[in-house]
Amino acid sequence: MISKNFTTNLYLGSFLILVSLIDVTLNSFFKLNFTNFLPGSISFFLPLILGTIGLYLIRSDYTGLKQLDILNKNVNTSNFNAVLTLLIIFLIIKAIPPSMSWMILDANISGDSREACTGTGACWTYIKVWFKRFMYGMYPNELHWRINAAFILVIVLGMAGLLATEKLKKYLALYYVIIYPIIAFLIIYYLISGGAFGLEWVETGAWGGLSLTFIVSFFCLIFCFPLGMIFALGRRSSLPTVRYISIGYIEFWRGVPLITVLFMSSVMFPMFLPEDFFMDKLVRVIIAITLFEAAYCAEVIRGGLQALPRGQYDAAKSLGMGYWKMHIFVILPQALKLVIPGIANTFLALVKDTPLIFVVGLAEIAGMLALAKTNPEWLGFAMEGYIFASIIFWIICYAMSKYSYNLEAKYKTER
Amino acid sequence: MSQPIIKIDNMNKWFGDFQVLKDINLEVEKNKKIVVCGPSGSGKSTLIRCINRLEEHQKGTIVVDGNELSENTKNIEAIRAEVGMVFQQFNLFPHLSILDNCTLAPIWVKKMPKKQAEELALDQLKKVQIDDQAHKFPGQLSGGQQQRCAIARALCMEPKIMLFDEPTSALDPEMIKEVLDAMVTLAKAGMTMIVVTHEMGFAKEVADEVIFMDEGMIVERAETKEFFANPKSDRTKLFLSQIL
């Protein structure tokens, strides 16, 4: 109920909060301080004091005013919460002007040389000039269409599953686990690498930038998942040999750092191979990351398998299903649904681990950045580069986690 | 006397050091309905789980429909396909619709064409009166409906023997009747059934014989009427006095 007294408090409180917000805003945007007649420290803390008093005045039990109730319930439950709320709001207001002026107002994007960057803000010209390198690495400029075409083909083929009719649906898993990776590999190999069909050969050392991030992540993701599934099942197998091999595999790969695995794949591994046997560095790196991440996938999937009640196994067995039928139709569909968040976690980590391939001389987007920032023409723009790369990685990872939420929602059935 | 469809000879089973089943001898003829009762922990469930080898026995022999169950049994799946089982906790597959629950095994184990399997499933669902729920998911059904679906699912494999492991113990009292009705109908149709249950009304109505188990042993086995009218062992008398 709103008493007359409370109405007065409400107006007074709102006024005080408004004053405090205006004070901070004027202060940070226009360098104005209309309380400068007060001593320095009081003037500095005045908005916080006024705002806290204001929030104290408008705090009350249920009032029936929707916005006010939401405010009181969520951010204004006690004096301590009120102070924290105000501090965060003030910090955001204070942070806007400097970041805005660095990123946009004082920044440069025109021109195509370092001389164009005259302002005190960011130099986006740097990103613009190096953009193609960040995307395609050292791949020859006139051949970029081959990378684009390969990606478009792979994406289109990946979406082919959506068109499958009811009759073809049961072959979808087969398509995605076996056929699709092989086709995708052939497309990437022949289109981007070339060397056949009249396409000029481009060695993998020249690949780089974001396209390399995509290639490495893509192949590692689609190969490590089925492999992880096999080891998860293997670890729960009743056959001792299978079980111990799986345990050994998982514990070995989980116990070594990825960076040493990458070094081994590029430095040590070729020593064990016969003289005339050649395996491309990129292929070795993809295999190394796949084997590494498969161990993590296996443990995540095993978590899902553990979570299923024994009754599901009993029921499937009692209907006459053997090991594989039971797992394919009853156990795995339920277990995989349970582990979507965990798998998404592993996959995100994998994507963010790809910059490590820099240690063996492959420069994906973060690697290109490291190269570009040491270019004598363009010294001193590391900040812009890393912000750019962070944004790109964030977009990729956010898209992936969004997709995993969608999958969760899609396969949710009542229990 | 016809050939027994289930023949258990001197069977023993241990969980670790603990002996759950001691010297079990049991013969079940075709079309007979047997009710197994006894206090909890007496090994009733373990006994019927041994019959389709969800549990492995360590000593003695079990012969089901002419096939001996042992570690060397290659066609254990084929034997299980002939022995239907209904569980206390229903154990429906929550990711599949009721209809898919019923057609999964016929299609993939018996290689039945999908259409035929669906017709069969709808037919069986109709018999337990939940054909109108066929496209829902198990989580959307009541306990009684789920258990009737589980019975239909087992029947879709057209088994020779049906095992029931306390089918009504997890149900609300008012749902028990609908499940028991479905089981009575099945019994009247001539199915060979072994039922672990505490529903003595059901035992009196359909069972040919009642087995009383305690501490892993078969204490008493008698014709139904005889069992309730003149129990021989003191342990049976005590149990009946508590349960009736």
Side-chain angles (χ1 to χ4, degrees), chain A residues 166 170 310-323 325 329-330 333-334 337 413-415, chain B residues 49 52 54-55 77 80-81 83 85 87 91-95 104-105 108-109 111 137 139-140 153 157:
Chain A
E166 201 58 39
K170 55 182 167 186
R310 185 177 160 210
Q312 292 292 313
Y313 292 86
D314 285 348
K317 280 186 201 161
S318 77
L319 288 168
M321 294 188 199
Y323 181 85
K325 280 176 191 159
F329 298 116
V330 178
Q334 296 184 63
K337 193 168 75 187
T413 50
E414 307 289 326
R415 251 195 183 263
Chain B
R49 286 168 66 87
N52 64 356
L54 286 181
E55 304 285 355
E77 278 93 39
R80 280 177 182 156
V83 182
M85 185 152 191
F87 301 87
N91 294 347
L92 293 178
F93 305 135
H95 62 300
L104 184 67
W108 293 100
V109 178
K111 313 279 180 215
F137 283 89
Q140 296 166 307
R153 176 177 73 176
M157 290 298 286

Side-chain angles (χ1 to χ4, degrees), chain A residues 211-230:
Chain A
S211 55
L212 185 62
T213 308
F214 280 137
I215 291 170
V216 172
S217 312
F218 174 78
F219 283 115
C220 292
L221 291 189
I222 55 178
F223 290 130
C224 85
F225 185 66
L227 199 59
M229 206 148 77
I230 289 169

Side-chain angles (χ1 to χ4, degrees), chain A residues 274-294:
Chain A
E275 282 278 309
D276 51 346
F277 186 88
F278 172 75
M279 194 191 265
D280 191 89
K281 183 156 73 176
L282 180 61
V283 176
R284 283 184 316 223
V285 161
I286 288 176
I287 291 175
I289 300 181
T290 303
L291 295 179
F292 182 85
E293 294 290 342

Side-chain angles (χ1 to χ4, degrees), chain A residues 125-394:
Chain A
T125 314
Y126 164 71
I127 303 294
K128 194 178 78 179
V129 171
W130 284 84
F131 188 76
K132 285 206 159 159
R133 294 275 87 83
F134 291 155
M135 293 296 120
Y136 303 104
M138 297 304 179
Y139 206 83
N141 277 350
E142 65 281 5
L143 299 179
H144 286 170
W145 66 270
R146 275 162 53 179
I147 297 185
N148 296 340
F151 280 1
I152 290 168
L153 265 175
V154 168
I155 291 169
V156 168
L157 277 171
M159 303 226 262
L162 300 175
L163 303 172
T165 53
E166 201 58 39
K167 225 174 174 177
L168 290 171
K169 274 222 164 103
K170 55 182 167 186
Y171 301 110
L172 265 189
L174 185 75
Y175 172 72
Y176 277 116
V177 174
I178 299 169
I179 301 170
Y180 180 59
I182 294 174
I183 298 178
F185 179 80
L186 292 176
I187 290 173
I188 302 253
Y189 183 80
Y190 281 111
L191 254 175
I192 303 187
S193 229
F197 308 115
L199 293 171
E200 193 187 326
W201 169 261
V202 182
E203 60 149 351
T204 51
W207 303 17
L210 188 62
S211 55
L212 185 62
T213 308
F214 280 137
I215 291 170
V216 172
S217 312
F218 174 78
F219 283 115
C220 292
L221 291 189
I222 55 178
F223 290 130
C224 85
F225 185 66
L227 199 59
M229 206 148 77
I230 289 169
F231 282 109
L233 292 177
R235 190 160 185 176
R236 287 168 59 83
S237 168
S238 55
L239 308 169
T241 351
V242 177
R243 188 166 66 244
Y244 286 119
I245 289 174
S246 303
I247 292 176
Y249 177 91
I250 291 169
E251 295 306 338
F252 173 76
W253 290 102
R254 287 206 306 174
V256 289
L258 180 56
I259 201 156
T260 57
V261 174
L262 289 172
F263 265 124
M264 293 284 268
S265 77
S266 86
V267 184
M268 301 285 288
F269 183 64
M271 291 181 193
F272 298 112
L273 292 178
E275 282 278 309
D276 51 346
F277 186 88
F278 172 75
M279 194 191 265
D280 191 89
K281 183 156 73 176
L282 180 61
V283 176
R284 283 184 316 223
V285 161
I286 288 176
I287 291 175
I289 300 181
T290 303
L291 295 179
F292 182 85
E293 294 290 342
Y296 287 87
C297 268
E299 285 297 276
V300 172
I301 294 171
R302 192 169 68 92
L305 292 173
Q306 308 272 56
L308 285 193
R310 185 177 160 210
Q312 292 292 313
Y313 292 86
D314 285 348
K317 280 186 201 161
S318 77
L319 288 168
M321 294 188 199
Y323 181 85
W324 291 108
K325 280 176 191 159
M326 172 171 80
H327 277 91
I328 292 170
F329 298 116
V330 178
I331 304 302
L332 283 174
Q334 296 184 63
L336 295 183
K337 193 168 75 187
L338 287 175
V339 299
I340 291 172
I343 288 288
N345 226 355
T346 312
F347 281 8
L348 287 175
L350 191 159
V351 171
K352 290 190 290 180
D353 278 346
T354 53
L356 278 180
I357 63 176
F358 189 56
V359 301
V360 297
L362 290 168
E364 49 61 74
I365 182 162
M368 283 312 297
L369 224 66
L371 289 179
K373 79 173 186 205
T374 54
N375 185 309
E377 288 263 313
W378 293 93
L379 285 176
F381 297 119
M383 181 77 134
E384 286 85 342
Y386 285 119
I387 287 179
F388 175 70
S390 310
I391 292 170
I392 300 258
F393 269 105
W394 185 83

Side-chain angles (χ1 to χ4, degrees), chain A residues 70-85:
Chain A
I70 292 174
L71 180 77
N72 279 337
K73 212 171 127 188
N74 293 307
V75 297
N76 191 19
T77 48
S78 67
N79 285 331
F80 180 66
N81 280 351
V83 171
L84 282 185
T85 306

Side-chain angles (χ1 to χ4, degrees), chain B residues 95-114:
Chain B
H95 62 300
L96 297 176
S97 71
I98 296 301
L99 187 64
D100 290 340
N101 260 283
C102 294
T103 58
L104 184 67
I107 290 175
W108 293 100
V109 178
K110 287 183 110 180
K111 313 279 180 215
M112 198 182 272
K114 194 172 179 205

